[in-house]
Every structure is written in structure tokens, then in C-alpha cells.
Amino acid sequence: MSSSEPENPSSSTATPPEESGEKKISKKAAKKEAAKLEKLRRRQEQQQEEEEEEASRETMAPLSIDEEESFSRNYGDVTLNELKSTEDPKAGKWREAVEGKEWTGVSELVEDMAGMEVLIRGRVHTSRVSSKLGFLIVRQRGSMVQCVVTESKENGVSVGMLRYVKQLSGESFVDVIGYVVIPKDPVTGTTQQVEIQVRKVYCVNSALQKLPLIVEDAARSEADIQAGKPGANQDTRLNYRVIDLRTPANQGIFSIQGWVQIGWREYLLRKGFLEIHTPKLLGGSSEGGSAVFRLDYKGQPACLAQSPQLHKQMAICADFERVFEVGAVYRAEDSFTHRHLCEFIGLDVEMAIHKHYSEIMDIVGELFPFIFNKLNENCQKELEAIRKQYPFEPLKFLPKTLKLTFAEGIQMLKEAGVEADPLGDLNTETERKLGLLVLEKYNTEFYILHRYPSAVRPFYTMPCADDPNYSNSFDVFIRGEEIISGAQRVHDPELLTEQAKRFGIDVETIKTYIDSFRYGAPPHGGFGVGLERVVMLFCGLNNIRKTSLFPRDPLRLAP
């Protein structure tokens, strides 16, 4: 961390705030005062709108009975009977209004569509309605458009519709029919630069008038909150995650998560890998140690898989040669850090090797730049939505991925004055420091560190031929944090048994795993990475819970 700035010497002669009559207030007090003023402003706006509406009722000529009946068919709540997938086109006014029309996505609304009538569906993001004019922001999957409701007999829009729109609760689902128009002035606060002149509006499903979390508050950036605008803390957002996930940033995050998997599958399938699905219920731990979720399996002790490690290796022994998996992984560790979860989505690879474990690192070195480039090419809109709430710099990576040995990394730390055990593991602080050193020297935030000490790797890791203190293993880093562990595996059953015992693993619980190598096994290796961690670090986010749909950590089992 950088040190605080030194005091300005010339400021020593400045008049203290107390002497100049100014009252010094804390940031907390200023924030509280700003929130109070914002609340007052909202109350005054509401009062003004109510006064305008009352004045309008007194001056507006009443509609005839026929006009009122005709106009009232242009708005209202959709009946449950209409929503029961009925094929009757005359089941109700909504069913008649949408008959023969196709829905248009909010993100598809562009200037070239000016003059076209469209039917859209989305949530009420915000609304502002006066006596003769209303503005309804409709949101669909992070995209937003402004819908203008103007009292007009010609368009069939009555004061009754304005009143109806005004009482719609936030987050309710609405169908809007109207014409696309290009506004005179650029629209602010929406993603689409066109408006819809509303002719008809129907509420498909109402949300509660008062929600436990407001999407606008959940979407605030840290800068907005510091400026006094209302926000929401992480626990509140996770408690009401189904609402929190509606923010534009979250819509972007999980779209990017999907694209990571697309890139993962596309590259590996091109390289001759086969997708498999391994069991998540095991008779013994897959990694060793006690950090497993234990359970009763029909009277037998069992646990949830800490990784697909054992079975993906068995798949190699079954002559699949190259396999990968996307599946849930369970870790019972009491880790309360920003980057650990008890359940996450693991991206795993296992492959036969011919001469050297560098063949695995070559796959890693090509795979992830392929994914990163795919994200940069296809997800600019999503990245911008994330960046608006959580500002971050684009990830720096090289076309040819940098590889350093563990010893070289230790030497870089030593030269920078950081002590690290040459036969131990790197802690979080030293990983970050090394990441900064690599960025400074090589201009990359994505690199591979290999030949790790044997003592800090799992029992199935192959020792180095020239020094058993080190192993044919590697870790991969993004922005100074580890995302991948990989290695050549021990495929010799005798050496595997010996190492399992040394790690305190009951050999009987992994007998079928060890026996699979007695039937003939090729040299092989692989790696695993957490999907949520990749997305977190690519997007420069500060907590893995932001990239887990419904996070499971030591304290959270719901929603």
C-alpha cells in the first residue's frame, strides 16, 4: 500500500477552520446529511406531483362514457385466466392487445426503428408521473428504455392510464405497446437512446409496494455511496440475492461467466478434449486432509468431492486421453476470505503427456488468452456495465504466456527485500507482491509459476527427476492471485501408495483409484481452476461472492 501524502508545508499558515468560522464535519456526518437532503428532495417532488394531479382533475374535461370504456382497454392488470396459456384471443383486453404481435427485446431498440410500433416486456425500474405526463423506465436484463405516457385522446391515453402507471410498484412486470421515437435531447439514465411513446400498458405481475432491497440502491457504485446516495451492504444484497442479481453489473457478471465457459469448451474441444462428468459422492477424500463434507450414504461413510481429481485420472487410464469437466466442487474449509467458497464451479482438465509436463502448461498458456480475447471481443457492453459500478482496468496479458520457475519467483521476491521460504508455499501477501514485480518487469498480470516444492503439493504430484524436494507442478496467477493449480500426476501405483501413506491418507479408501494404475496407465497430468475466481479477477472485483450466483461460505446456506 502506498503511504499517505505528506502535509503541504505552506498549509501551516492557513487559518484553522474553528478560527475562520467554518465547522469541520466528518465524512460520516456529511454522508448522513446528504442522504437526509436526498430524502427531503424526493418527498418534495412527490408532494408537487400530487398537487399537479389534483389541479389537473379540477380543470380537465371529463371523458364521455364511451371514451372512458374505450380508453380503459388500453391499460390494466392482466388476469390470471389470461396468463394460463390460454389460446383464446378474446380472453381479455391484454390478450386482445398482444394478439399477432411479437415481443421486441429492450436491448434491440435502436434509432433505425423510429416510427415502428413495438411490444416490449420488462420490469418497472423507476416511474415519474404528473397530471398529464409520465415517464416509465422499463428494464430487461440490464437494458433500460424510457417510455413516455402522454395524455392524448388521439393515442387513447387517458388520465386514468396515467393514474394507473403512477401506482405501479417498482420491479413489477409490464407489457408496453407504443411507437419508437427519437428524443430531442439525449436520454440519460437508460441504455437505449430512443424512447417509446406509449399507447397501451398492462401489468403482467405486481411486485410488493415496499421491497426489502431497491435495485437502484444495489447498483450504486462506491463513489455514489460516498457522495451520500443510498446503497446496500453485501449481507443485505446476498440475503435478497434474487433482487440483487437484477442490477446491470450483476447481469454483466453472469453473462461473462457464461462466456468463460463457452471459451473454455470451444478451445478444449478444438484440441481433442472430451467433456466428462465425474461423481460428487465419494467413499474417501480426493485431496487428503479433513476439509470435506461428510455424510451418510446408505449406512456407509461418504463425503462430497473436493475435486474431480481421482476420477478424471481414471478416465485417462480408460484411454480417453484428453478430458475436461465443468462441475461443482465442495470444500469444508473455514475460510472467511474474499476468494474462498465452500461450493464453487470447478473447471478441470486432465491429459496424457508424451515427454514433459510443460505440455500441460502449453495448453494453459494458450487456453486462457483465448478466453480473455473472447471476453474482450464479445462482452464490451457487459464489461462496461460492470465497470460503471465497480471500476477496473482491463487485464494485461501477453500473447505468449510468461513461465517462471518457483525458484525464479523466490529470487525476484528476495531482490525486492521480501523473504520467502524456498521450500514452502507463498502466502497471499507474497503472491500479490510477486504479481506486482512481474507486472513491472514483464508487463503482464497473467503468468505461470512452476516447479513448486513437493511438501506443499497433493500426494499424487510427481516429484522432479533432478530434485525430489521440488515437483512437476505449477500455479497460474491473475492480478497477483492464484487461480490454477496443476501438475504431472504419479501414475506408478507403488510410488502413489507410498506418497498417500506419507500424507496420512487411508489407502483402503482410495484403493480403486490406485488399482486403476495397476491395469496400465500413461504418463498424464492436468489442472483445475475455479470459475468464480477467474471472473472475479478478470473483472477486478474484490470479493468472490460477487461472482457466485448464490454463494455458499462457512456462514451462508441460503438463499
Side-chain angles (χ1 to χ4, degrees):
M1 293 178 63
S2 61
S3 58
S4 58
E5 295 181 6
E7 294 181 2
N8 185 350
S10 63
S11 66
S12 60
T13 59
T15 306
E18 292 81 359
E19 294 180 19
S20 64
E22 298 177 4
K23 187 176 180 181
K24 191 174 182 180
I25 59 173
S26 66
K27 286 185 179 179
K28 187 175 181 181
K31 184 177 174 182
K32 188 175 180 181
E33 181 64 22
K36 188 189 297 182
L37 291 172
E38 174 71 13
K39 191 173 181 181
L40 178 61
R41 184 188 65 78
R42 288 182 180 179
R43 192 183 300 126
Q44 288 173 339
E45 279 186 358
Q46 184 178 357
Q47 185 177 349
Q48 183 179 352
E49 288 173 5
E50 289 173 354
E51 290 173 355
E52 288 176 356
E53 184 174 352
E54 182 63 30
S56 173
R57 281 200 294 267
E58 293 174 359
T59 59
M60 184 169 289
L63 293 173
S64 69
I65 294 175
D66 289 342
E67 286 176 324
E68 186 63 56
E69 171 63 25
S70 174
F71 286 11
S72 68
R73 297 195 66 76
N74 295 336
Y75 63 91
D77 293 348
V78 182
T79 65
L80 183 58
N81 187 56
E82 290 178 280
L83 294 170
K84 287 182 176 178
S85 299
T86 178
E87 295 182 4
D88 180 4
K90 295 186 177 180
K93 55 187 178 183
W94 166 79
R95 190 68 175 77
E96 290 179 20
V98 301
E99 181 66 22
K101 291 182 170 62
E102 296 290 334
W103 273 268
T104 300
V106 170
S107 63
E108 299 169 6
L109 297 170
V110 293
E111 293 183 356
D112 289 346
M113 300 172 71
M116 289 178 56
E117 184 184 67
V118 293
L119 164 62
I120 66 168
R121 173 173 292 178
R123 292 185 182 274
V124 175
H125 186 66
T126 61
S127 63
R128 185 163 49 90
V129 181
S130 61
S131 56
K132 292 188 178 183
L133 183 64
F135 297 94
L136 187 69
I137 305 295
V138 174
R139 189 187 76 245
Q140 182 191 43
R141 295 191 61 192
S143 295
M144 290 181 277
V145 65
Q146 180 165 274
C147 302
V148 183
V149 189
T150 307
E151 190 273 329
S152 165
K153 287 186 178 182
E154 182 183 349
N155 290 331
V157 178
S158 64
V159 173
M161 181 187 287
L162 284 159
R163 292 174 188 162
Y164 177 75
V165 169
K166 186 172 185 177
Q167 59 81 43
L168 289 172
S169 56
E171 296 305 296
S172 294
F173 270 105
V174 291
D175 281 352
V176 174
I177 297 174
Y179 293 102
V180 177
V181 298
I182 300 174
K184 293 179 181 177
D185 300 315
V187 183
T188 58
T190 64
T191 59
Q192 310 310 114
Q193 291 306 302
V194 295
E195 293 178 336
I196 294 179
Q197 191 67 47
V198 177
R199 289 185 57 247
K200 301 182 181 184
V201 58
Y202 303 96
C203 182
V204 179
N205 181 261
S206 294
L208 293 172
Q209 283 292 337
K210 185 167 178 146
L211 295 171
L213 177 63
I214 299 172
V215 173
E216 269 194 303
D217 293 348
R220 302 284 188 203
S221 67
E222 188 60 36
D224 285 338
I225 295 171
Q226 289 295 327
K229 293 182 180 179
N233 63 39
Q234 181 169 273
D235 279 342
T236 300
R237 293 175 59 172
L238 293 180
N239 287 342
Y240 303 102
R241 186 64 160 162
V242 71
I243 300 176
D244 179 46
L245 289 171
R246 299 172 189 172
T247 66
N250 276 330
Q251 293 287 310
I253 286 169
F254 290 98
S255 177
I256 283 172
Q257 191 176 97
W259 275 99
V260 170
Q261 294 174 78
I262 290 170
W264 171 268
R265 285 188 168 96
E266 184 179 335
Y267 175 86
L268 292 173
L269 288 171
R270 285 183 186 178
K271 293 293 183 178
F273 285 78
L274 175 71
E275 183 168 10
I276 62 171
H277 300 284
T278 60
K280 305 309 169 195
L281 288 168
L282 303 181
S285 69
S286 51
E287 298 282 351
S290 59
V292 294
F293 289 105
R294 302 190 183 279
L295 54 99
D296 176 80
Y297 185 77
K298 303 293 184 181
Q300 302 176 62
C303 61
L304 295 176
Q306 295 166 294
S307 86
Q309 183 60 51
L310 310 188
H311 288 89
K312 67 177 181 175
Q313 282 188 257
M314 290 166 72
I316 299 302
C317 294
D319 289 347
F320 286 105
E321 289 194 354
R322 290 185 161 199
V323 299
F324 73 89
E325 180 169 13
V326 178
V329 175
Y330 302 91
R331 301 285 170 90
E333 300 165 338
D334 287 331
S335 296
F336 298 90
T337 73
H338 73 286
R339 63 178 187 171
H340 287 94
L341 291 170
C342 291
E343 178 185 15
F344 61 90
I345 300 302
L347 306 175
D348 276 86
V349 158
E350 202 71 19
M351 58 184 278
I353 60 178
H354 293 99
K355 295 194 329 184
H356 199 275
Y357 76 98
S358 60
E359 294 165 33
I360 312 166
M361 292 190 288
D362 290 341
I363 290 289
V364 174
E366 292 179 3
L367 169 60
F368 282 86
F370 177 84
I371 292 172
F372 300 153
N373 283 324
K374 185 169 284 288
L375 296 179
N376 287 332
E377 289 167 9
N378 296 284
C379 302
Q380 281 305 310
K381 180 182 175 183
E382 290 82 358
L383 289 168
E384 187 54 40
I386 297 167
R387 196 175 284 116
K388 187 174 180 181
Q389 183 169 0
Y390 307 111
F392 70 94
E393 292 296 321
L395 180 71
K396 293 182 179 178
F397 59 96
L398 302 174
K400 183 175 176 59
T401 300
L402 174 69
K403 297 175 188 174
L404 297 171
T405 65
F406 187 84
E408 287 173 327
I410 293 294
Q411 183 61 32
M412 287 180 69
L413 288 167
K414 185 177 179 181
E415 290 172 359
V418 179
E419 290 299 322
D421 185 353
L423 295 178
D425 206 353
L426 300 180
N427 59 34
T428 302
E429 187 179 341
T430 52
E431 283 180 354
R432 286 177 178 162
K433 179 61 180 176
L434 182 58
L436 292 174
L437 295 172
V438 169
L439 174 61
E440 183 180 355
K441 185 173 181 178
Y442 298 100
N443 196 34
T444 181
E445 295 174 289
F446 177 77
Y447 70 97
I448 299 172
L449 197 64
H450 68 108
R451 274 183 65 102
Y452 264 72
S454 296
V456 300
R457 307 306 280 197
F459 75 95
Y460 46 74
T461 307
M462 183 69 79
C464 287
D466 59 339
D467 188 345
N469 287 317
Y470 292 91
S471 60
N472 294 346
S473 63
F474 59 90
D475 277 0
V476 183
F477 297 84
I478 296 180
R479 299 189 196 268
E481 296 198 34
E482 178 259 316
I483 62 157
I484 295 176
S485 285
Q488 179 182 358
R489 321 301 187 188
V490 176
H491 65 283
D492 178 83
E494 305 311 321
L495 177 57
L496 190 59
T497 301
E498 177 188 321
Q499 295 204 163
K501 288 178 179 177
R502 192 166 70 249
F503 275 73
I505 296 172
D506 183 352
V507 178
E508 284 302 309
T509 64
I510 57 171
K511 185 176 184 299
T512 55
Y513 167 65
I514 295 177
D515 283 347
S516 65
F517 300 113
R518 300 186 192 281
Y519 312 143
H524 62 277
F527 58 90
V529 53
L531 173 61
E532 293 87 348
R533 197 177 289 189
V534 173
V535 177
M536 176 185 77
L537 293 171
F538 182 82
C539 296
L541 299 170
N542 64 1
N543 198 299
I544 200 167
R545 289 156 187 80
K546 287 184 171 72
T547 58
S548 176
L549 198 65
F550 295 99
R552 294 292 179 259
D553 60 31
L555 297 178
R556 185 171 290 279
L557 195 57

